[in-house]
Amino acid sequence: MTTTRLREHVLARRPVVIRDLFKGQPVARLDTEAKALRAFGDLKLKTRLRYPLPLQSRPEGADDIRVESLAAYLRGMRQARNAHRCCVEYEAPAEFRTAFSLPGCCTGLEQIPDDVLSLLFVAPKGHVTSLHFDCDHRQVFLHQVFGLKRVTMIRPDVGRRVLPVGSVSTLLIEDMGEEDRVRLFAQLGAEVTLLGPGETLFIPALAWHHVEYLETSMSFSIRFGRWRFGRFIAEN
């Protein structure tokens, strides 16, 4: 990452969409579900019940964590068997991590090199991650492999206005009508982006974000190595 990018985005905590971060790498060729299945259909995923999931919607006898292949999970989703399940925030399997290289900015600038983490996300259309910030104090790249997401970002300094409880907002954006959303986002200075295949969103540390799966989607995050001060705060 250039000094200009560092100043304009990382230090200023300003989100940005990057369209060529993994250009020429294997992951850039997995821009449809069919291509991802051909390359990683046998990839083992941990899946669990989606959240938030009303108690009355919980399938009878559902287990909390299940290990299944990407192909089996997506097949079950199409048959409605996995309609309530997702693979969210589990560490990306080693086989999948061979499809991309870590950008140098994730481990440079005196960050702790062994602190980098990559998480995998696969979920059906309609899945929502409610408004929250990541309390581990990491900068994040969120890369969209296939499918389409809508991501809403809100600056850390307006956090009190989203009525937080810990790192989670009590504002349920997913339950709001469109007019109420537009009014709220204008008041909070929110930035909304559609994230499509091959695009990478930079999420600044402690930024509030809300994620909606507009299509069945697969993505992964790279959680930067932290500066020692940031890790100290997160751990204490």
Side-chain angles (χ1 to χ4, degrees):
M1 182 172 282
T2 65
T3 302
T4 300
R5 282 281 182 90
L6 173 67
R7 182 173 60 251
E8 291 182 353
H9 297 288
V10 178
L11 299 183
R13 293 183 176 178
R14 179 185 170 203
V16 64
V17 174
I18 306 169
R19 293 187 170 84
D20 58 356
L21 187 62
F22 298 101
K23 184 178 181 180
Q25 299 185 32
V27 75
R29 298 191 288 271
L30 310 179
D31 56 356
T32 68
E33 181 178 325
K35 292 177 183 178
L37 282 172
R38 283 197 292 271
F40 288 107
D42 294 331
L43 186 73
K44 296 300 183 185
L45 306 179
K46 287 183 179 179
T47 67
R48 57 177 171 79
L49 291 175
R50 292 165 56 188
Y51 61 88
L53 185 65
L55 291 177
Q56 63 269 25
S57 299
R58 181 184 175 92
E60 185 176 353
D63 54 338
D64 289 329
I65 298 178
R66 182 190 301 163
V67 177
E68 55 191 323
S69 69
L70 174 63
Y73 170 69
L74 292 174
R75 185 168 58 249
M77 187 190 302
R78 287 191 293 270
Q79 298 169 353
R81 190 172 67 248
N82 281 341
H84 294 295
R85 302 195 69 82
C86 64
C87 172
V88 174
E89 295 183 346
Y90 289 116
E91 190 166 358
E95 313 94 278
F96 184 78
R97 295 198 302 271
T98 63
F100 62 90
S101 300
L102 289 177
C105 59
C106 299
T107 57
L109 304 171
E110 300 184 355
Q111 294 131 291
I112 304 168
D114 61 356
D115 196 40
V116 180
L117 183 64
S118 179
L119 303 180
L120 191 64
F121 303 80
V122 189
K125 176 181 178 179
H127 180 68
V128 172
T129 301
S130 297
L131 187 63
H132 69 288
F133 72 84
D134 299 330
C135 51
D136 62 357
H137 286 238
R138 296 177 191 266
Q139 318 278 2
V140 177
F141 281 142
L142 177 64
H143 181 78
Q144 190 74 356
V145 180
F146 66 77
L148 185 66
K149 287 180 179 176
R150 178 164 54 198
V151 184
T152 302
M153 310 279 298
I154 297 173
R155 299 189 318 275
D157 60 320
V158 298
R160 290 188 179 184
R161 295 168 62 188
V162 303
L163 309 180
V165 175
S167 61
V168 179
S169 169
T170 57
L171 296 177
L172 296 180
I173 292 174
E174 55 270 26
D175 292 341
M176 293 181 179
E178 190 61 28
E179 288 188 11
D180 289 335
R181 280 193 186 207
V182 170
R183 188 180 305 111
L184 176 67
F185 292 168
Q187 292 172 352
L188 297 175
E191 297 186 59
V192 183
T193 186
L194 295 180
L195 197 64
E199 296 182 327
T200 307
L201 175 64
F202 171 65
I203 303 176
L206 302 180
W208 291 86
H209 48 288
H210 178 272
V211 183
E212 301 165 275
Y213 287 63
L214 303 183
E215 300 173 350
T216 294
S217 296
M218 181 179 192
S219 59
F220 67 91
S221 66
I222 298 178
R223 309 187 67 76
F224 289 30
R226 291 165 291 187
W227 288 279
R228 297 184 186 279
F229 183 63
R231 186 159 81 169
F232 176 83
I233 293 175
E235 293 177 348
N236 292 275

